[in-house]
């Protein structure tokens, strides 16, 4: 960048001091030269700003490197290894899978792994564009090609991806007429923008994706067979989330995105066992996209230190795992109530024995009375009493031991042997 010149203004001539009349032209010329020399002394050269070094290319935070797309799931590991070999050879890749399985995540990861990683990754959802705009979006146009065109024309997605990767999402929804033009572009490796007379060569790594069964679409005549064989050189079929064996690791990673200060093991420790069971056994019809949304919702609404079942989205209320967990909890509480009711009388006798046994426990009498009142109020339902006292069940059991209040199950057994008769 050329140096910028900051020139000081010439000093003003004092008022009343005119130049001598009849001065020689040589003297005028000499004076002009002297003025220029004086100005030169005031020239300040501003050094050109140093251009910032280009930042190293990185994936967006919500996209992952290819080796981070799975945990211990063997099927996914094999699929990613094959994907690497496909892009190493420059083969067209077709990614199949249900909605939300991560087709665009995989496409971006393959691009970042490939030798074209320094070039553009251009994505276009062919299902989201009106049919009359797909051609101009893909192939571009020259100025004046049609009414409403940009004055300078526009490069199409194919030209924008030249040297890089072109990702065509939902290619199964591409209109049949456009399939013919795309096939020619892929065969000839050149594109002719609308209104242009000469084709433009392009070199792209093509990755396509769809949730549809293209083989069935070919059989029904809604998708060109020759285009199918052109794009389906390397086929990668993503498994559904319910089929994967690494759901626990995926949950941990997504939680770490919400709690960036925690490690994977620390994130899982903040999820209760019944909530984690629901997450692991849920059907996940929306796959990874639904799991991410559910965990973001749960982290946003949780009010305690741990993520529990009540924090999960409403659709989890009908989860079979949740019903089985609640049934087990109800069965346990019913069993506890039966044992705890039989221990009520024994606890009263124990309290009398405790007070007569050792007067040194008087400082703890107030807390002991409070705990026994809560237990009596809830008919020795440990869970309900713990909530009233502000304890968890484990803390209440520790208090019972510290204050020599017989454990509820021990009391039940003692009653059966008439120890406290």
């Amino acid at each position: 960048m050329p140096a910028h010149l900051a020139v000081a203004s010439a000093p003003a001539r004092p008022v009343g001091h005119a130049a001598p009349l009849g001065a020689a032209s040589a003297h005028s010329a000499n004076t002009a030269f002297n003025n220029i020399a004086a100005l030169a002394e005031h020239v300040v050269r501003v050094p050109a700003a140093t251009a910032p070094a280009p930042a190293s290319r990185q994936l967006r935070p919500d996209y992952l490197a290819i080796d981070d797309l799975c945990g211990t799931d063997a099927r996914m590991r094999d699929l990613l290894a094959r994907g690497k070999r496909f892009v190493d050879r420059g083969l067209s890749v077709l990614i199949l899978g249900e909605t939300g399985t991560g087709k665009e995540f995989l496409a971006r990861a393959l691009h970042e792994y490939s030798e074209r990683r320094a070039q553009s990754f251009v994505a276009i959802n062919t299902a989201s564009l009106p049919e009359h705009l797909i051609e101009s979006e893909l192939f571009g146009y020259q100025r004046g090609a049609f009414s409403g065109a940009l004055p300078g024309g526009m490069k199409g997605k194919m030209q924008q991806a030249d040297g890089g990767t072109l990702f065509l999402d939902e290619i199964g929804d591409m209109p049949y007429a456009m399939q013919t033009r795309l096939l020619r572009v892929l065969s000839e490796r050149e594109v002719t923008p609308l209104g242009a007379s000469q084709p433009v060569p392009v070199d792209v790594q093509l990755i396509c994706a769809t949730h549809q069964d293209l083989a069935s679409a070919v059989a029904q005549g809604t998708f060109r067979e020759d285009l199918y064989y052109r794009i389906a050189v390397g086929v990668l079929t993503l498994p559904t989330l319910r089929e994967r064996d690494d759901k626990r690791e995926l949950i941990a990673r997504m939680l770490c995105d919400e709690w960036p200060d925690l490690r994977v093991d620390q994130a899982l420790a903040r999820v209760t066992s019944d909530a984690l069971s629901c997450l692991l056994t849920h059907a996940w019809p929306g796959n990874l996209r639904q799991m991410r949304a559910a965990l973001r919702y749960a982290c946003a609404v949780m009010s305690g230190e741990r993520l529990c079942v009540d924090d999960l989205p409403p659709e989890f209320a009908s989860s079979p795992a949740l019903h089985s967990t609640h049934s087990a909890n109800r069965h346990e509480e019913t069993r506890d109530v039966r044992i705890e009711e039989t221990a009520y009388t024994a606890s009263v006798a124990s309290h009398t024995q405790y007070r007569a046994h050792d007067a040194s426990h008087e400082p703890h009498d107030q807390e002991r009375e409070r705990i026994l009142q809560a237990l009596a109020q809830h008919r020795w339902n440990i869970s309900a009493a713990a909530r009233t006292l502000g304890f968890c069940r484990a803390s209440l059991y520790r208090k019972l031991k510290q204050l020599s209040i017989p454990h509820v199950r021990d009391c039940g057994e003692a009653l059966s042997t008439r120890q406290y008769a």
Side-chain angles (χ1 to χ4, degrees):
M1 181 181 298
H4 298 284
L5 300 181
V7 182
S9 56
R13 185 184 303 274
V15 179
H17 289 72
L21 295 177
S25 59
H27 175 73
S28 300
N30 192 32
T31 301
F33 178 81
N34 291 337
N35 288 340
I36 294 175
L39 287 175
E41 293 179 0
H42 295 279
V43 171
V44 179
R45 294 190 176 272
V46 180
T50 305
S56 57
R57 288 178 53 86
Q58 293 183 348
L59 283 171
R60 280 170 42 185
D62 49 343
Y63 290 105
L64 299 173
I66 192 165
D67 292 325
D68 295 331
L69 289 179
C70 77
T72 56
D73 188 81
R75 182 174 175 181
M76 275 295 296
R77 287 190 175 279
D78 178 66
L79 180 142
L80 297 179
R82 281 186 288 117
K84 290 178 180 180
R85 291 194 289 269
F86 291 157
V87 295
D88 283 340
R89 299 291 297 272
L91 304 180
S92 298
V93 178
L94 175 63
I95 304 174
L96 304 176
E98 290 185 5
T99 298
T101 49
K103 295 185 289 292
E104 184 170 353
F105 273 71
L106 178 56
R108 289 181 179 272
L110 289 172
H111 169 72
E112 291 296 326
Y113 168 80
S114 72
E115 295 180 353
R116 299 172 181 258
R117 67 181 69 92
Q119 304 301 321
S120 299
F121 176 91
V122 179
I124 182 170
N125 189 325
T126 57
S128 65
L129 291 175
E131 185 173 345
H132 64 282
L133 290 180
I134 293 180
E135 190 168 12
S136 60
E137 283 290 325
L138 275 180
F139 309 129
Y141 55 83
Q142 296 290 319
R143 61 177 300 181
F146 51 85
S147 177
L150 294 175
M154 186 189 77
K155 277 188 176 182
K157 299 294 185 183
M158 296 287 293
Q159 284 184 266
Q160 293 176 30
D162 187 28
T165 300
L166 177 67
F167 175 55
L168 298 180
D169 198 9
E170 301 300 347
I171 194 172
D173 297 315
M174 178 177 282
Y176 196 87
M178 278 304 306
Q179 296 175 24
T180 304
R181 282 213 62 183
L182 178 61
L183 176 64
R184 177 169 180 80
V185 169
L186 298 179
S187 301
E188 304 297 330
R189 290 186 172 272
E190 59 184 22
V191 58
T192 304
L194 297 177
S197 58
Q198 297 295 326
V200 179
V202 290
D203 173 28
V204 297
Q205 166 71 57
L206 182 67
I207 302 179
C208 302
T210 182
H211 67 280
Q212 297 188 12
D213 185 352
L214 288 187
S216 298
V218 169
Q220 296 169 7
T222 58
F223 198 85
R224 289 185 63 105
E225 184 176 13
D226 44 5
L227 178 59
Y228 173 73
Y229 291 122
R230 173 70 65 176
I231 65 175
V233 180
V235 180
L236 301 174
T237 303
L238 284 169
T240 61
L241 182 54
R242 57 186 172 273
E243 297 172 330
R244 293 180 60 165
D245 299 328
D246 56 350
K247 289 191 285 291
R248 182 184 296 269
E249 297 165 74
L250 295 173
I251 291 170
R253 288 181 181 178
M254 292 181 186
L255 287 175
C256 286
D257 291 338
E258 302 300 315
W259 303 325
D261 296 333
L262 298 184
R263 300 191 308 270
V264 169
D265 56 332
Q266 294 174 330
L268 284 179
R270 290 188 63 182
V271 183
T272 62
S273 57
D274 52 350
L276 183 58
S277 177
C278 286
L279 292 170
L280 292 175
T281 57
H282 191 66
W284 298 115
N287 295 291
L288 292 168
R289 184 180 294 118
Q290 183 190 8
M291 175 182 279
R292 185 178 184 86
L295 291 175
R296 296 190 69 182
Y297 172 93
C299 291
V301 304
M302 64 181 291
S303 56
E305 290 296 324
R306 303 185 70 193
L307 191 154
C308 62
V309 171
D310 294 337
D311 299 322
L312 297 177
E315 61 264 23
F316 282 80
S318 58
S319 171
L322 183 58
H323 284 295
S324 62
T325 302
H326 284 177
S327 298
N329 289 342
R330 284 196 298 269
H331 176 72
E332 181 181 354
E333 289 187 3
T334 302
R335 182 188 62 192
D336 286 347
V337 168
R338 287 199 305 267
I339 298 174
E340 291 159 358
E341 284 179 349
T342 62
Y344 175 67
T345 306
S347 68
V348 176
S350 170
H351 176 54
T352 303
Q353 294 175 3
Y354 167 81
R355 292 180 61 88
H357 178 68
D358 190 355
S360 64
H361 288 86
E362 288 184 1
H364 301 288
D365 282 353
Q366 188 174 1
E367 183 178 18
R368 180 184 175 88
E369 288 285 353
R370 187 168 65 93
I371 291 176
L372 284 172
Q373 287 176 6
L375 291 169
Q377 177 186 351
H378 295 287
R379 300 183 62 81
W380 275 76
N381 185 319
I382 295 291
S383 300
R387 285 194 293 270
T388 299
L389 293 166
F391 298 155
C392 64
R393 284 173 60 97
S395 296
L396 181 53
Y397 277 123
R398 284 194 295 271
K399 287 291 184 182
L400 295 180
K401 184 176 180 181
Q402 292 171 4
L403 299 174
S404 300
I405 301 175
H407 192 286
V408 60
R409 292 182 177 84
D410 294 342
C411 287
E413 183 180 354
L415 283 176
S416 66
T417 60
R418 298 185 180 277
Q419 179 176 346
Y420 291 97

